[in-house]
Amino acid sequence: MTMSGNGDFTKRCHAFFEQRYGFRKCLLCTSGTDALEMCAMLCELKPGDEVIVPSYTFVSSAIAFLREGARVVFADSGKENPNMTVETIAPLITERTKVIVVVHYAGIACDMDSIMALAERHGLLVVEDAAHSIDSFYRGKPLGGIGHLGAFSFHETKNINCGEGGMLVVNDERFVRRSEILWEKGTNRAEFYRGMVNKYGWCDIGSSFLPSEFNAAFLWAQLEQLDDIQGKRKRIWDIYDKALRGKVEEMGIQLPMIPDYATNNGHMYYLVCPSLDFRTKLMGWLKEQGVQTTFHYLPLHSSAYYKDLFKGEPLVNCDHYGDCLVRLPLFYELTDEQAEKIAQLVVEGVRTKV
Ligand SMILES: Cc1ncc(COP(=O)(O)O)c(C=O)c1O
């Protein structure tokens, strides 16, 4: 039995995703970051090429493309939720733009029809950073399966995980063969295993992107229970939403907005507070009650690494989410009673303590 990579469990995981979601080709990776690095390599960027990335995201959405020599151009989020929109992307397109990287924040889809149409008008590739987006859909299409390439994360913080892990999804036939070669350290070993060539060798750049069978087996156990996991997470999400909607907005709190075209995959429940000070006080008060909440991304355009390089217009929505967004606990073992209690404490905190 293989313990390294591309063994039985890896193949089972690939087949599961390809059959359940109709993805053209899936390749498990050692992280979501690695899957994004493979996307960037497949885009064949040249120095001077520009890649549009939201600023309100994890650093991997940007560094994968920076490492390939591209210039990253940061886009603002929309007002309704942290996703980029056509309005925030379009003004950033120049003749050097090659790729748009969309992040479906909290597993809620970006408006992909309008983004794909914009990309097509300008001859651009679209990479979906679907790190949060397992089992979530845009107008019935699975996220990660709409752009030319997609990247999932199976990091411990995600709905299903193998400690560290990820997956590349190749939706455009042009990239299928090369993706397997990059995945297997620049060799055509996958073709050799399929009996298509009688020996394998070095034919391109690449790296060791494939995870061991231990990780794949750990992930597989959750894929067998995916509907249960998703059901439980969405149930907790619904408890929060039912308890909070209509009770906290008058205090200036914005709750998650799921557009008609998107589904909710129960990845995250968040509140957007009216100010940084409000968020700090609310988080502090909840902590005193024994509830651990967390804020999320620090905008990339004002990070220590990038702030002197950033030359764009202010990204006001992104800064607002950076200062004001707070996430409530959401994990499989959380009971309904605990979720109800947390929601009650949030209402109490928002109304009387902050
Ligand atoms: C939006 C986004 N993209 C990419 C990643 C990177 O994934 P990983 O931690 O599996 O490398 C993360 C973080 O987990 C993320 O939140």
Side-chain angles (χ1 to χ4, degrees):
M1 193 181 125
T2 307
M3 286 186 286
S4 52
N6 203 10
D8 180 48
F9 284 110
T10 299
K11 289 191 175 81
R12 282 195 218 181
C13 292
H14 290 172
F16 177 93
F17 288 113
E18 287 167 6
Q19 281 159 21
R20 178 162 167 140
Y21 301 112
F23 295 147
R24 170 68 187 82
K25 173 139 197 93
C26 295
L27 291 171
L28 288 191
C29 293
T30 46
S31 64
T33 304
D34 268 3
L36 284 163
E37 285 177 1
M38 285 190 72
C39 292
M41 289 164 92
L42 288 166
C43 291
E44 296 193 74
L45 297 160
K46 290 187 269 325
D49 286 349
E50 293 178 356
V51 177
I52 297 174
V53 182
S55 177
Y56 194 72
T57 183
F58 193 62
V59 62
S60 308
S61 323
I63 50 167
F65 295 86
L66 273 182
R67 287 185 73 210
E68 290 303 296
R71 199 169 92 77
V72 166
V73 177
F74 286 115
D76 204 358
S77 304
K79 272 200 162 54
E80 292 185 320
N81 65 36
N83 289 343
M84 296 194 302
T85 67
V86 158
E87 289 71 30
T88 67
I89 300 168
L92 305 176
I93 295 177
T94 70
E95 64 211 13
R96 293 182 296 280
T97 309
K98 290 286 161 358
V99 184
I100 300 171
V101 181
V102 297
V103 177
H104 305 294
Y105 185 78
I108 310 300
C110 295
D111 186 358
M112 290 308 286
D113 281 350
S114 64
I115 293 172
M116 293 307 286
L118 178 73
E120 201 175 326
R121 274 202 300 284
H122 294 273
L124 310 178
L125 293 171
V126 175
V127 172
E128 290 179 79
D129 179 338
H132 305 176
S133 307
I134 188 71
D135 205 44
S136 203
F137 296 82
Y138 171 81
R139 297 194 198 282
K141 294 182 205 155
L143 300 188
I146 303 169
H148 301 86
L149 297 161
F152 285 93
S153 168
F154 303 129
H155 181 265
E156 183 176 23
T157 48
K158 304 302 186 286
N159 289 22
I160 53 167
N161 85 87
C162 52
E164 298 275 358
M167 183 172 74
L168 170 74
V169 178
V170 181
N171 300 310
D172 186 317
E173 192 60 39
R174 273 180 294 171
F175 301 117
V176 168
R177 178 162 189 266
R178 188 160 187 250
S179 67
E180 269 188 345
I181 292 172
L182 299 184
W183 192 61
E184 283 266 33
K185 302 121 182 139
T187 72
N188 57 346
R189 181 153 63 176
E191 289 177 352
F192 172 69
Y193 282 146
R194 285 200 295 272
M196 293 163 71
V197 288
N198 60 8
K199 56 182 181 313
Y200 75 89
W202 183 14
C203 33
D204 202 336
I205 54 163
S207 190
S208 186
F209 287 119
L210 67 175
S212 83
E213 280 287 283
F214 297 108
N215 289 39
F218 197 86
L219 191 69
W220 173 250
Q222 291 156 78
L223 294 181
E224 289 185 305
Q225 308 290 329
L226 183 62
D227 290 328
D228 172 54
I229 295 169
Q230 289 298 93
K232 180 70 200 288
R233 295 188 70 104
K234 284 191 255 185
R235 185 184 165 92
I236 298 168
W237 198 100
D238 287 342
I239 291 174
Y240 282 148
D241 203 58
K242 204 159 160 248
L244 296 175
R245 212 163 281 274
K247 301 208 181 67
V248 293
E249 295 92 328
E250 70 204 37
M251 299 301 294
I253 303 275
Q254 185 188 345
L255 294 176
M257 201 287 288
I258 303 178
D260 291 346
Y261 52 69
T263 60
N264 169 31
N265 69 346
H267 178 53
M268 186 194 300
Y269 197 90
Y270 66 83
L271 281 69
V272 187
C273 297
S275 67
L276 174 58
D277 183 52
F278 191 111
R279 181 179 78 177
T280 308
K281 288 188 182 138
L282 178 63
M283 288 178 71
W285 185 77
L286 287 168
K287 193 169 174 201
E288 284 166 23
Q289 311 312 307
V291 178
Q292 180 74 49
T293 57
T294 42
F295 52 83
H296 209 183
Y297 301 126
L298 302 172
L300 296 180
H301 72 284
S302 48
S303 60
Y305 182 76
Y306 206 83
K307 66 179 186 315
D308 295 335
L309 300 168
F310 181 69
K311 303 277 182 281
E313 298 290 318
L315 304 180
V316 288
N317 296 329
C318 166
D319 288 340
H320 183 60
Y321 295 118
D323 284 345
C324 302
L325 188 144
V326 54
R327 295 176 288 164
L328 301 187
L330 208 171
F331 49 91
Y332 185 85
E333 293 79 8
L334 197 73
T335 65
D336 291 3
E337 295 69 34
Q338 286 170 322
E340 274 152 20
K341 179 73 191 157
I342 293 167
Q344 269 171 23
L345 287 168
V346 171
V347 174
E348 187 184 337
V350 163
R351 289 200 170 166
T352 60
K353 307 291 178 203
V354 177

